[in-house]
Amino acid sequence: MSGDKQQLLAMGFEEARIDWALKATKRSGLQPAMDHLLNNSDNPVPSDSAQPEDVDSADEDSEELKIHVKKTGASEEPTANSIKCSECGKIFKSSATASFHAERSGHQEFEESTEEIKPLTEEEKKAKLADMRQKLAEKRALQSKIDAKETRANDVLRRKAGQDQDKIKEDMMIKEMHKEVDRKKREKIEDQKARAAIKAQIEADKRERAAKVAREKAIRDGEATPAAASAPAAAAAKPVTNSAENPQTRLQVRLSSGGAPLTKTFPSESTLVDVAEWIASENLAYNVDTVTFASTFPRKTFSRDEMRKSLKANGLTPSAVLNAS
């Protein structure tokens, strides 16, 4: 037995009219069947309204649910007009409605009754229909609230997932930026070291050429013997340490970061910027643009303008001790 038919039987409609309504509406649902029943309540039921699939359905349901209907032993007992539930006292018009009640309530004890169930009046039918519609509306409203709650929960989860993804992307971008900054710093330091090395090589070449020219001139002027002309270049280019006009200046640089002092001889025309490039190439903790120099005696800190002057112009020739910071 279909669920629509069981519900209509429970509402008190006659089984024949229910079969007629279900067949006429092609079993399209409970509401069309109810509308058909209400609209044709005064019309006779056609003889061919019963469908084969509904024949003996009430008996089958009754047998399947094992409903126990008690019968009295009196020989002249009046005809039974209804079935009564012995457990709750409800009266049903047919075994089909009793079976539906047994399925819903779990009751199993029933008995025949002479009580006749009166058909529903038009007002009662309309009241039942209104009550059912109200219950359906309440059920839909409750389901709508549940759906809305689930939708809000899903939206919260989606937003949280989106925020997590944004945070991951932001962290990755920050890491990439830090990597790029570190890479540029390394490139700048390597570039400074390369420039300092090239400049030092150029100065060494200049000193070697100057020494060679001096030796050749001495030979031409008879101021040196051939043996002296073949002496090492370092001995020929040895600076005079007592003269401020010496072409070379020997510097000892003490680093504020600690460690042994750095010593190197520069052409007196070199600037303190050249010295800063050499310091940066020797110690990566120093930067050409920020390193500062100070002399110990007389005590003096060289300005950025003085950094661009020659060692000779800054009074550091022929030798000096500087503090680098």
Side-chain angles (χ1 to χ4, degrees):
M1 182 184 298
S2 66
D4 293 342
K5 184 174 181 178
Q6 289 178 338
Q7 294 187 46
L8 293 172
L9 287 170
M11 294 173 63
F13 292 106
E14 296 178 7
E15 186 174 1
R17 288 188 174 275
I18 293 173
D19 294 336
W20 177 29
L22 292 174
K23 181 178 180 181
T25 58
K26 297 182 180 179
R27 298 187 177 275
S28 57
L30 179 62
Q31 187 63 50
M34 290 182 63
D35 293 338
H36 183 277
L37 288 169
L38 295 176
N39 294 333
N40 297 275
S41 59
D42 296 330
N43 299 329
V45 179
S47 58
D48 60 344
S49 60
Q51 296 191 18
E53 64 183 38
D54 293 328
V55 175
D56 297 332
S57 60
D59 294 337
E60 293 175 0
D61 289 339
S62 299
E63 185 178 12
E64 180 181 353
L65 294 173
K66 298 181 181 179
I67 297 175
H68 304 291
V69 181
K70 297 179 181 179
K71 296 184 179 181
T72 61
S75 59
E76 296 181 358
E77 182 182 0
T79 304
N81 296 318
S82 60
I83 298 175
K84 181 178 181 180
C85 178
S86 303
E87 298 182 38
C88 65
K90 290 185 178 180
I91 299 174
F92 305 96
K93 185 176 182 180
S94 65
S95 59
T97 55
S99 298
F100 180 70
H101 172 72
E103 183 181 353
R104 296 286 297 274
S105 64
H107 298 166
Q108 298 295 324
E109 296 298 330
F110 294 83
E111 59 183 304
E112 294 180 341
S113 173
T114 58
E115 296 184 37
E116 184 177 357
I117 300 176
K118 297 180 181 180
L120 296 176
T121 64
E122 291 296 327
E123 290 75 10
E124 290 174 337
K125 292 179 181 178
K126 290 180 181 180
K128 277 186 174 289
L129 179 60
D131 180 63
M132 179 168 286
R133 286 175 175 172
Q134 181 180 358
K135 289 181 179 179
L136 290 174
E138 291 174 353
K139 185 177 180 180
R140 291 193 187 100
L142 178 60
Q143 187 62 42
S144 178
K145 290 181 179 179
I146 294 174
D147 293 342
K149 185 176 180 180
E150 292 179 352
T151 301
R152 288 194 297 270
N154 291 334
D155 289 341
V156 170
L157 292 176
R158 282 194 294 269
R159 287 195 297 270
K160 182 65 170 59
Q163 291 172 357
D164 292 342
Q165 290 294 329
D166 293 341
K167 183 65 169 59
I168 293 172
K169 291 180 180 179
E170 183 180 356
D171 292 343
M172 292 180 64
M173 289 179 61
I174 292 175
K175 289 181 180 179
E176 291 299 325
M177 290 174 61
H178 288 168
K179 289 181 180 179
E180 182 66 15
V181 170
D182 292 341
R183 184 185 65 79
K184 289 184 178 180
K185 284 183 179 179
R186 289 195 300 270
E187 289 180 353
K188 185 175 181 180
I189 291 171
E190 294 297 329
D191 186 55
Q192 290 173 352
K193 291 176 67 175
R195 288 203 305 270
I198 292 172
K199 195 162 187 177
Q201 184 63 44
I202 292 173
E203 296 299 330
D205 293 343
K206 286 183 180 178
R207 289 195 298 271
E208 185 177 352
R209 287 195 298 270
K212 183 178 180 180
V213 171
R215 289 196 303 271
E216 292 175 352
K217 186 176 183 301
I219 292 173
R220 286 196 303 271
D221 295 341
E223 296 178 358
T225 63
S230 62
K238 185 176 180 180
V240 180
T241 57
N242 294 326
S243 174
E245 298 297 326
N246 197 306
Q248 293 184 338
T249 300
R250 185 175 184 275
L251 294 180
Q252 183 184 84
V253 182
R254 298 173 181 173
L255 305 178
S256 60
S257 59
L262 301 177
T263 302
K264 185 176 180 179
T265 300
F266 291 88
S268 297
E269 296 302 323
S270 301
T271 65
L272 285 174
V273 174
D274 298 327
V275 180
E277 291 180 350
W278 170 62
I279 294 296
S281 67
E282 296 292 330
N283 193 316
L284 299 181
Y286 291 86
N287 188 289
V288 175
D289 299 327
T290 58
V291 66
T292 58
F293 295 109
S295 61
T296 56
F297 184 82
R299 191 171 185 82
K300 176 184 178 181
T301 299
F302 295 93
S303 64
R304 302 312 298 178
D305 290 336
E306 291 172 325
M307 292 282 290
R308 289 188 287 272
K309 293 181 180 180
S310 67
L311 302 179
K312 179 178 178 181
N314 282 319
L316 301 176
T317 304
S319 63
V321 177
L322 299 177
N323 293 322
S325 60

